[in-house]
Amino acid sequence: MSFPLLTATAALPAIGAVATAAVPAARRTAAKWLALLVSLATLALAVTVLVRFDPDGARYQLTESHPWIADFGVRYEVGVDGIAVALIALTALLIPFVILAGWHDADPLETGSRRWRPTQGFFALILAVEAMVVISFEATDVFLFYIFFEAMLIPMYFLIGGFGDRAHEHGEEAASTQRSYAAVKFLLYNLVGGLIMLAAVIGLYVVAGNFSLQEIAQARANGSLHMATNTERWLFLGFFFAFAVKAPLWPLHTWLPNAMQEATAPVAVLITAVVDKVGTFAMLRFCLQLFPGASKWATPVILVLALISIVYGALLAVGQRDIKRLVAYASISHFGFIIMGIFAMTTQGQSGATLYMVNHGISTAALMLVAGFLISRRGSRLIADYGGVQKVAPVLAGTFLIGGLATLSLPGLAPFVSEFLVLVGTFTRYPAIGIIATFGIVLAALYTLVLYQRTMTGPVKPEVSAMPDLRARELVVVAPLIVLLIFLGVYPKPVTDIVNPAVKQTMSDVHKTDPKPSVEAAK
């Protein structure tokens, strides 16, 4: 039997989480290093998956299938296509930076603190989230996917509520109350979405008789499994609702700004750059593949909701006073672009959406982590409490600027390519939607440049006059992300070569072809 590479990639951080939690309370530094080493080993396995994956080979590769709950047709069944491989690589890449950036975030508040192993718990929870996200990208059994899609809510709840941001203008008691509110809101929204999806999963089993994504999709393609139109639409809505909450899509987005505001910066990156990608990934893997007819039926409404997310998120980002809430609303706008690209039903749109998932993860991580370093120095998330930072901490300001420019999709940085593909792919089929969506780009330039102007330029405020520049550990976190933003901005081919064959197969699932150009090329 060949080595179970996909299982190992998900199991290693899970085992590492248990081992990190078991480190004695007095050995906090050892727990940190153990978590970091496990995350680096997981990255090595993810790179191995990437190397062994053949973009021109079978749709699902490195597959494993074992009986699990035989009476209900549930199997432990995993496999990866190009889209899953890219997102697994993104997840494994970001986790070491999340751990390094949060190196001191879970240290006791005071000497002799009686909190139960706070440091060990923090890093163990991060590894647990990584394990559950990776298996979600790998799962080709619908029930297996559902289990981990829901299970990841548990460690995320404790990361938000138990290890939240300490920078709060109204003191620790108010901060604790706000953290609890944000954690509960995150949990309730996603639990409701998950319960609706559970009903749809059960309905799918009743109709199909098993949970295997590949078997159901093949049966639908060859005509041996027929779903009534209304049945397919209801099942699609059950799945899509849960994914839209996770994504998040307007109007199911309201949990995200609270969660990102109250979480530490590394956990905020975990939310929007890693966990939320499971929602958009699942739209491609499950909604389009299992319910192609219903996906096309719902496309006009979903495109309108995505367009609202783009403009609404950008407008609210412009008016924010809190740095982290601004990044949260910017992410809502960006997820609108991703969902718009998925449901534009064009090769360019879906390739751009998949590339956008990767690039948004890197750009948001860069911006949010630098913002976290900034906030930890000043002890405030309010934009008005900063000014003139670039004069006292030029490296911090420079990396903050690059992260911000990537967020507004400046040409030459990675998000530009993906956003351009999404807009082109949307315009070729839905020109009105594509034209209105470009307004989000203008607003992105506004909220990003205003944020930089108010925090980094102008007179130096007394409170930031002694602010230190980025330290060695912080540079190790930020520098590779900046390099990746530039590299993928000028040469995105390594990612597009991996995802494009999977996108073409997804287009085949929904029986869609790209619109023909309205003007023929000159001969």
Short mmCIF file of all heavy atoms in Angstrom, two decimals, residues 18 29 35 43 51 115 152 194 197 232 240 284 294 325 341 348 368 411 438 486 488:
data_model
loop_
_atom_site.label_atom_id
_atom_site.label_comp_id
_atom_site.label_asym_id
_atom_site.label_seq_id
_atom_site.Cartn_x
_atom_site.Cartn_y
_atom_site.Cartn_z
N VAL A 18 -2.48 17.73 19.95
CA VAL A 18 -2.57 16.97 21.20
C VAL A 18 -1.25 17.04 21.96
O VAL A 18 -1.21 17.25 23.18
CB VAL A 18 -2.94 15.50 20.91
CG1 VAL A 18 -2.91 14.67 22.19
CG2 VAL A 18 -4.33 15.43 20.27
N THR A 29 7.62 27.93 26.33
CA THR A 29 8.46 28.12 25.14
C THR A 29 8.60 26.82 24.36
O THR A 29 8.60 26.82 23.12
CB THR A 29 9.85 28.65 25.55
OG1 THR A 29 9.69 29.87 26.27
CG2 THR A 29 10.71 28.88 24.33
N ALA A 35 4.87 23.48 18.36
CA ALA A 35 3.82 23.86 17.40
C ALA A 35 4.43 24.36 16.10
O ALA A 35 3.96 24.01 15.00
CB ALA A 35 2.91 24.92 18.01
N LEU A 43 3.89 21.70 6.41
CA LEU A 43 4.19 22.42 5.17
C LEU A 43 5.01 21.55 4.23
O LEU A 43 4.77 21.53 3.01
CB LEU A 43 4.93 23.72 5.49
CG LEU A 43 5.42 24.55 4.28
CD1 LEU A 43 4.24 24.94 3.38
CD2 LEU A 43 6.17 25.79 4.75
N VAL A 51 4.00 18.60 -5.28
CA VAL A 51 4.96 18.06 -6.25
C VAL A 51 4.42 16.80 -6.91
O VAL A 51 4.58 16.59 -8.11
CB VAL A 51 6.31 17.78 -5.55
CG1 VAL A 51 7.24 17.01 -6.48
CG2 VAL A 51 6.96 19.09 -5.13
N ARG A 115 -4.50 30.78 34.92
CA ARG A 115 -5.22 30.27 33.75
C ARG A 115 -4.61 28.94 33.32
O ARG A 115 -3.40 28.80 33.28
CB ARG A 115 -5.17 31.28 32.60
CG ARG A 115 -5.99 32.51 32.83
CD ARG A 115 -6.13 33.32 31.56
NE ARG A 115 -4.83 33.75 31.06
CZ ARG A 115 -4.65 34.32 29.88
NH1 ARG A 115 -5.67 34.52 29.09
NH2 ARG A 115 -3.45 34.70 29.49
N MET A 152 -14.53 22.39 12.95
CA MET A 152 -13.56 23.48 13.06
C MET A 152 -14.11 24.69 13.81
O MET A 152 -13.36 25.57 14.23
CB MET A 152 -13.06 23.89 11.67
CG MET A 152 -14.06 24.60 10.79
SD MET A 152 -13.40 25.07 9.17
CE MET A 152 -13.20 23.49 8.37
N GLY A 194 -24.70 25.26 9.42
CA GLY A 194 -24.37 23.84 9.44
C GLY A 194 -25.58 22.94 9.64
O GLY A 194 -25.66 21.86 9.04
N MET A 197 -27.36 22.73 6.42
CA MET A 197 -26.61 21.85 5.53
C MET A 197 -26.81 20.38 5.92
O MET A 197 -26.89 19.51 5.04
CB MET A 197 -25.13 22.20 5.57
CG MET A 197 -24.29 21.33 4.64
SD MET A 197 -22.53 21.71 4.72
CE MET A 197 -21.87 20.32 3.78
N GLU A 232 -33.55 19.05 -6.34
CA GLU A 232 -32.18 19.54 -6.56
C GLU A 232 -32.02 20.97 -6.07
O GLU A 232 -31.01 21.31 -5.44
CB GLU A 232 -31.83 19.46 -8.05
CG GLU A 232 -30.41 19.94 -8.34
CD GLU A 232 -30.07 19.93 -9.82
OE1 GLU A 232 -30.91 19.47 -10.62
OE2 GLU A 232 -28.97 20.38 -10.17
N PHE A 240 -25.60 25.61 -0.15
CA PHE A 240 -25.10 26.95 -0.44
C PHE A 240 -25.25 27.88 0.75
O PHE A 240 -24.36 28.72 1.01
CB PHE A 240 -25.83 27.54 -1.66
CG PHE A 240 -25.35 28.92 -2.02
CD1 PHE A 240 -24.19 29.09 -2.75
CD2 PHE A 240 -26.04 30.05 -1.60
CE1 PHE A 240 -23.73 30.36 -3.06
CE2 PHE A 240 -25.60 31.32 -1.92
CZ PHE A 240 -24.43 31.47 -2.65
N LEU A 284 -17.43 25.50 -5.20
CA LEU A 284 -16.90 24.91 -6.43
C LEU A 284 -17.00 23.39 -6.40
O LEU A 284 -17.43 22.76 -7.38
CB LEU A 284 -15.44 25.32 -6.62
CG LEU A 284 -15.17 26.70 -7.22
CD1 LEU A 284 -13.72 27.09 -7.01
CD2 LEU A 284 -15.51 26.72 -8.70
N ALA A 294 -29.35 23.34 -10.53
CA ALA A 294 -29.74 24.33 -9.52
C ALA A 294 -28.73 25.46 -9.44
O ALA A 294 -29.09 26.61 -9.16
CB ALA A 294 -29.89 23.65 -8.16
N ARG A 325 -11.50 46.18 11.85
CA ARG A 325 -12.82 46.14 11.23
C ARG A 325 -12.73 46.58 9.77
O ARG A 325 -13.46 46.08 8.90
CB ARG A 325 -13.82 47.01 12.00
CG ARG A 325 -14.27 46.43 13.32
CD ARG A 325 -15.34 47.30 13.97
NE ARG A 325 -16.62 47.17 13.28
CZ ARG A 325 -17.54 46.26 13.58
NH1 ARG A 325 -17.32 45.36 14.52
NH2 ARG A 325 -18.68 46.23 12.92
N GLY A 341 -16.85 35.45 -9.36
CA GLY A 341 -16.07 34.70 -10.33
C GLY A 341 -16.52 33.26 -10.45
O GLY A 341 -16.57 32.70 -11.56
N GLN A 348 -12.36 32.00 -17.27
CA GLN A 348 -11.58 33.10 -16.67
C GLN A 348 -12.10 33.43 -15.27
O GLN A 348 -11.31 33.67 -14.36
CB GLN A 348 -11.64 34.35 -17.55
CG GLN A 348 -11.09 34.17 -18.94
CD GLN A 348 -12.21 33.94 -19.95
OE1 GLN A 348 -13.20 33.28 -19.64
NE2 GLN A 348 -12.04 34.48 -21.15
N MET A 368 -2.86 42.18 7.71
CA MET A 368 -3.38 42.03 9.06
C MET A 368 -2.26 41.76 10.07
O MET A 368 -2.30 42.27 11.20
CB MET A 368 -4.40 40.90 9.10
CG MET A 368 -5.00 40.65 10.48
SD MET A 368 -5.81 42.10 11.21
CE MET A 368 -7.39 42.04 10.39
N PRO A 411 -1.59 46.72 -9.88
CA PRO A 411 -0.86 45.93 -10.87
C PRO A 411 0.58 45.67 -10.44
O PRO A 411 1.26 46.57 -9.94
CB PRO A 411 -0.92 46.80 -12.13
CG PRO A 411 -2.17 47.61 -11.96
CD PRO A 411 -2.26 47.88 -10.48
N THR A 438 -16.60 46.95 -10.88
CA THR A 438 -15.36 47.73 -10.91
C THR A 438 -15.40 48.91 -9.94
O THR A 438 -14.34 49.43 -9.57
CB THR A 438 -15.08 48.25 -12.33
OG1 THR A 438 -16.19 49.05 -12.77
CG2 THR A 438 -14.88 47.11 -13.31
N ILE A 486 4.77 39.80 -4.62
CA ILE A 486 5.44 40.34 -5.81
C ILE A 486 5.64 39.25 -6.85
O ILE A 486 5.36 39.45 -8.05
CB ILE A 486 6.76 41.00 -5.42
CG1 ILE A 486 6.52 42.19 -4.48
CG2 ILE A 486 7.53 41.44 -6.66
CD1 ILE A 486 7.78 42.78 -3.87
N LEU A 488 4.02 36.30 -7.36
CA LEU A 488 2.78 35.87 -8.00
C LEU A 488 2.11 37.02 -8.75
O LEU A 488 1.25 36.78 -9.61
CB LEU A 488 1.82 35.29 -6.96
CG LEU A 488 2.26 33.97 -6.31
CD1 LEU A 488 1.26 33.53 -5.25
CD2 LEU A 488 2.42 32.89 -7.37
#
